[in-house]
Amino acid sequence: MTDHEYEQRVIDVLISTHPGWRYEQRDLPGLPRWWAIRYCPLRPDQRRAGARDVLGRTSLRRLVSALARHDEILHRLRY
């Protein structure tokens, strides 16, 4: 399996497990490579609890981990 095929499989899993997000890859120097952008904005109380509308990480593995932590925040708020 090539790196591109692996990345596409991970993105497919993210889309099915975290459907409220749009996923993008950007190769810009000094910025995270992988991004998750929420389709619907969060409420102020969700932001105060630490939830974010945009997550950027340097790898897909780190983005997956950030999305899991993000879900925990929203779950505590009963989102």
Side-chain angles (χ1 to χ4, degrees):
M1 178 184 309
T2 67
D3 287 343
H4 178 71
E5 290 170 330
Y6 169 78
E7 290 172 348
Q8 188 56 54
R9 285 190 182 191
V10 172
I11 293 296
D12 291 344
V13 169
L14 286 175
I15 289 168
S16 67
T17 56
H18 303 280
W21 299 81
R22 180 178 81 245
Y23 301 97
E24 296 180 3
Q25 178 185 3
R26 300 179 192 159
D27 290 320
L28 299 172
L31 292 176
R33 182 174 184 199
W34 291 98
W35 296 85
I37 301 107
R38 287 187 58 86
Y39 286 118
C40 298
L42 294 164
R43 299 185 318 249
D45 64 314
Q46 294 167 324
R47 284 193 189 93
R48 283 192 300 273
R52 299 290 174 252
D53 291 311
V54 177
L55 299 173
R57 297 295 184 271
T58 55
S59 71
L60 270 176
R61 179 172 285 142
R62 289 181 178 181
L63 184 62
V64 168
S65 179
L67 285 164
R69 286 191 307 274
H70 194 270
D71 281 354
E72 290 173 10
I73 292 169
L74 294 180
H75 180 72
R76 284 195 306 262
L77 294 173
R78 304 214 187 270
Y79 180 67

